Amino acid sequence: MITASLVKELRERTGAGMMDCKKALEATDGNIEAAIDWLREKGMASAAKKSGRIAAEGTSTVLSSGNTAVILEVNSETDFVAKNEQFVELVKDLAEVFLANKPADLDAALALDLKGQTVNDAIISATATIGEKITLRRVAVVEKEDNQVFGEYIHMGGKISAVTVLNGDNAELARDIAMQVASMSPQYVSQKEIPSEIVDHETAIQVEIVKNDAELASKPEQVVQGIIKGRVSKQMQDISLVDQIYFKDGKAKVSQILKDAGTDVVTFVRYAVGEGIEKREEDFAAEVAKASQVK
């Protein structure tokens, strides 16, 4: 059954109209990823952003020492609690514990000792004390070599955090690249890292978009293929860090800035608070149900 929440989620992810979202879900048997493709093929939505929908509150942060850095996200139910002194102190303690112990994954992080109790128990205790659900959503440990440098950037008090690793010792550029990552949300360092299935999938989408474009129907096949190739290339550049326009320059690509500085990006991690978590808008769900007659 096509529910109001599915329609709502699809609309949030694509920006398409409610009825178009309902039609897309009906055409794809409720498969939301397929529905996104359906909308794009019909020219009703742009590419779904990997960053997802920023909805949950909380904070993210970066902490480094020596050749190790950690980046983590801790969620709360409201922004008010995210600024609570106890919550802020908890996040600080978690960052320090993770930096010292380098957990391999989220389960390992939750099992670490924090002032005589596990991290998981400390979070449960904070939930009881603060009166709002607190969740450690994710944590990543980033390592570098001695001849490399970390770049760290925390935006809006933790709404977005990013950490980069660059070859060399240009700390200022490393931080600027972290700001680039935070603001432009790349998914890969370069196009060489993009899996072939991502490119193939985008190509298939663009083929369908062209098929549904009456203005391109009379164009020669060679021209149409060129348009498809160009559009796919643009999408891949948008998600590739080195192919993005450098935010402090506005003209040169990040790759040129790195080349001029004699360095390159080894890796990066970016966390935006609540990305991919569904928004909860009760009045919007009611609006969807009423407009589309979905129960």
Side-chain angles (χ1 to χ4, degrees), residues 48 126 198 249 265:
I198 299 288
D249 179 278
V265 177

Side-chain angles (χ1 to χ4, degrees), residues 54-256:
I54 309 303
E57 300 299 339
T59 193
S60 63
T61 194
V62 180
L63 184 65
S64 67
S65 178
N67 286 343
T68 304
V70 292
I71 181 170
L72 61 148
E73 176 186 353
V74 183
N75 291 141
S76 60
E77 293 181 42
T78 65
D79 186 54
F80 179 78
V81 163
K83 298 173 182 176
N84 174 285
E85 184 177 343
Q86 183 181 349
F87 180 88
V88 172
E89 186 66 21
L90 172 65
V91 173
K92 176 177 176 292
D93 289 343
L94 291 174
E96 292 174 351
V97 167
F98 298 154
L99 184 62
N101 292 276
K102 305 179 184 180
D105 53 33
L106 188 59
D107 287 338
L110 290 169
L112 290 173
D113 179 81
L114 177 59
K115 299 180 179 179
Q117 59 184 328
T118 66
V119 165
N120 187 61
D121 286 344
I123 292 172
I124 292 173
S125 178
T127 295
T129 304
I130 295 173
E132 193 171 292
K133 184 177 181 181
I134 308 299
T135 306
L136 172 64
R137 187 170 182 226
R138 50 186 171 171
V139 57
V141 177
V142 183
E143 302 277 10
K144 73 173 186 65
E145 303 294 333
D146 289 338
N147 60 344
Q148 297 171 341
V149 63
F150 284 128
E152 303 167 31
Y153 179 68
I154 301 174
H155 182 65
M156 292 180 63
K159 289 300 182 183
I160 302 174
S161 292
V163 57
T164 59
V165 177
L166 268 63
N167 282 316
D169 60 359
N170 194 329
E172 182 179 355
L173 180 58
R175 185 177 187 277
D176 285 344
I177 296 300
M179 291 179 69
Q180 175 84 23
V181 169
S183 62
M184 301 306 293
S185 189
Q187 296 169 36
Y188 304 92
V189 171
S190 70
Q191 292 189 52
K192 291 185 295 185
E193 295 183 356
I194 301 177
S196 59
E197 55 265 29
I198 299 288
V199 180
D200 292 342
H201 180 75
E202 183 60 33
T203 300
I205 293 295
Q206 294 300 333
V207 167
E208 291 302 316
I209 290 174
V210 167
K211 285 181 181 178
N212 287 287
D213 191 333
E215 294 184 3
L216 296 178
S218 60
K219 298 285 186 181
E221 180 63 20
Q222 185 176 358
V223 173
V224 171
Q225 289 303 315
I227 292 172
I228 292 172
K229 184 177 180 180
R231 290 179 176 178
V232 172
S233 177
K234 177 61 169 59
Q235 291 285 357
M236 297 305 106
Q237 289 179 46
D238 286 347
I239 62 176
S240 166
L241 172 59
V242 299
D243 288 319
Q244 293 179 344
I245 298 300
Y246 187 47
F247 79 104
K248 292 185 72 173
D249 179 278
K251 296 179 181 179
K253 288 187 176 182
V254 170
S255 58
Q256 186 62 52

Side-chain angles (χ1 to χ4, degrees), residues 5-6 9-10 13 25 28 30-37:
S5 61
L6 268 180
E9 181 178 354
L10 184 57
R13 292 183 62 178
L25 287 165
T28 57
N31 185 317
I32 196 162
E33 298 301 329
I36 291 171
D37 290 347

